[in-house]
Amino acid sequence: AADQLNRRGHDVTVFERNDHIGGLLMYGIPNMKLEKWVIDRKQKVMEEEGVKFVVNADVGKTVKAADIVKDYDSVILACGASNPRDIKATGREADGIYFAVDFLTRSTKHVLTGKKDGWVDTKGKNVVVIGGGDTGNDCVGTAVRQGAKSVVQIEMMPKLPDERAANNPWPEWPRVCKTDYGQEEAIAVFGKDPRIYQATVKEFIADKSGKLKKVKLVKLEPKKDAKTGRLNMVEIPGSEFEIPADYVLIAAGFLGTQDYVAKAFGVKLNARTNVETAEGSYKTSVDKVFTAGDMHRGQSLVVWGINEGRHVAREVDEFLMGYTNLP
């Protein structure tokens, strides 16, 4: 969005809450998937073209939203779906449980700087990852590369078939089991797939000092709800079992935008806690405030962030100028 609006001739400033720009590109995606010199190169090009970047600016906390609204002709909120889904199980307060992006951020900062402040070092430790998506896979790959003693990945849903089922023909999206780089590396190191399907955490078990030592899991089975017809994963009585865990990394997805940002600007949220806009629009309920990306559509892909950034830039340009010739 900043790139497009700057090329149109607007004076653009980007406020970033972290110490480096890039959001999830910088700290949520490990270096082995996206080397950070790519982001640094793009930042340098944009700065030379006139875009201003202000880092360590946590708008809604260290920077007042009211000041930004007052000082600028238009504001775009592109703060991501950064409210992580938690696991509410007994023993959640144990030491050694981290949200996935927090763990990945600490790891990336250590790789970039060599400093160990706040670094979560999984070398020689038993690691349990909760969640089967891309972020969970990144946690698996990172723990393997750090030299973890064991890595287990917990998935609630049943394992998908290795090949297309009869009711999933081309050109439908293939609903098949995907083994990504993290799982491939775990298989190469430990000799087995790290994933446990149809299971969830029942309890986090710590020692007397409060340090996590084990997790109690319970097996799940799919059952159709008689009223709604929805397929729910329900616990199988008596199926509990324990596995060792020095660290648990929660990669269970995101619930939407962090509410302090939305409250600071006074924008309305929808039922999914994303910033509300009219269908096909990026304008929020507050005058001259727009939104785009995960904050607008919910947790999604980088390519959708790029797409929405271009679309919101076009809408902001038209709002400011009365017309737009942005693509």
Side-chain angles (χ1 to χ4, degrees):
D3 192 38
Q4 292 286 96
L5 288 166
N6 180 66
R7 293 184 183 189
R8 179 77 163 99
H10 298 291
D11 187 15
V12 184
T13 302
V14 177
F15 291 87
E16 166 61 55
R17 72 178 125 198
N18 275 311
D19 55 358
H20 282 79
I21 69 144
L24 283 176
L25 292 179
M26 172 58 72
Y27 286 133
I29 299 176
N31 289 41
M32 57 267 201
K33 282 181 72 175
L34 176 63
E35 294 179 82
K36 305 315 173 189
W37 64 262
V38 176
I39 300 170
D40 293 338
R41 180 183 63 183
K42 183 63 176 178
Q43 178 181 354
K44 184 178 179 182
V45 169
M46 291 177 70
E47 285 177 331
E48 289 176 349
E49 291 179 343
V51 176
K52 304 178 190 70
F53 292 98
V54 182
V55 297
N56 295 311
D58 195 349
V59 179
K61 290 186 177 179
T62 62
V63 178
K64 292 182 179 179
D67 291 342
I68 291 180
V69 173
K70 177 185 175 183
D71 295 341
Y72 293 87
D73 299 304
S74 184
V75 180
I76 298 172
L77 303 179
C79 308
S82 46
N83 183 23
R85 181 179 284 109
D86 205 349
I87 302 295
K88 302 295 185 182
T90 303
R92 173 62 179 84
E93 70 282 356
D95 182 23
I97 304 173
Y98 296 90
F99 287 115
V101 172
D102 186 25
F103 166 73
L104 294 171
T105 296
R106 294 167 183 235
S107 176
T108 298
K109 285 185 176 182
H110 171 69
V111 170
L112 293 177
T113 66
K115 296 178 181 178
K116 295 187 177 182
D117 298 344
W119 178 38
V120 181
D121 184 7
T122 62
K123 184 176 182 179
K125 304 296 185 181
N126 297 302
V127 179
V128 174
V129 179
I130 303 174
D134 288 340
T135 305
N137 175 66
D138 290 338
C139 288
V140 170
T142 300
V144 169
R145 286 166 180 251
Q146 286 184 354
K149 180 180 179 181
S150 69
V151 181
V152 175
Q153 187 175 18
I154 310 300
E155 298 198 27
M156 287 185 66
M157 302 306 293
K159 181 179 181 294
L160 291 171
D162 293 322
E163 298 180 354
R164 284 180 183 269
N167 62 353
N168 179 214
W170 186 90
E172 289 182 359
W173 181 262
R175 294 190 296 273
V176 296
C177 182
K178 176 186 177 184
T179 299
D180 214 325
Y181 80 96
Q183 289 108 16
E184 289 176 349
E185 292 176 3
I187 292 168
V189 171
F190 302 115
K192 63 179 182 178
D193 195 312
R195 290 170 285 192
I196 296 177
Y197 295 95
Q198 294 184 234
T200 191
V201 174
K202 188 80 170 177
E203 182 182 357
F204 300 103
I205 302 172
D207 60 18
K208 291 181 179 180
S209 67
K211 185 75 178 71
L212 184 69
K213 287 300 176 186
K214 295 187 288 186
V215 292
K216 181 184 287 185
L217 305 177
V218 61
K219 296 293 288 182
L220 306 172
E221 62 180 348
K223 282 191 176 180
K224 187 174 288 188
D225 188 289
K227 293 182 178 179
T228 65
R230 288 185 59 185
L231 204 62
N232 297 320
M233 299 302 292
V234 298
E235 293 184 11
I236 300 174
S239 64
E240 293 89 350
F241 63 102
E242 296 178 357
I243 59 174
D246 299 300
Y247 289 110
V248 165
L249 310 175
I250 301 174
F254 297 86
L255 297 172
T257 184
Q258 289 183 310
D259 61 357
Y260 78 87
V261 181
K263 287 178 179 177
F265 285 94
V267 296
K268 291 182 180 178
L269 302 180
N270 60 23
R272 298 178 59 209
T273 70
N274 301 322
V275 176
E276 184 176 86
T277 66
E279 185 71 29
S281 173
Y282 297 84
K283 188 180 184 305
T284 72
S285 58
V286 176
D287 184 45
K288 78 177 188 181
V289 178
F290 297 76
T291 188
D294 286 4
M295 195 171 186
H296 178 229
R297 65 181 290 114
Q299 182 187 7
S300 191
L301 303 172
V302 171
V303 289
W304 273 113
I306 295 170
N307 178 275
E308 293 225 337
R310 289 176 175 271
H311 278 82
V312 74
R314 180 179 173 84
E315 190 167 334
V316 168
D317 184 40
E318 188 170 13
F319 168 76
L320 294 172
M321 304 301 293
Y323 74 99
T324 184
N325 56 14
L326 283 173

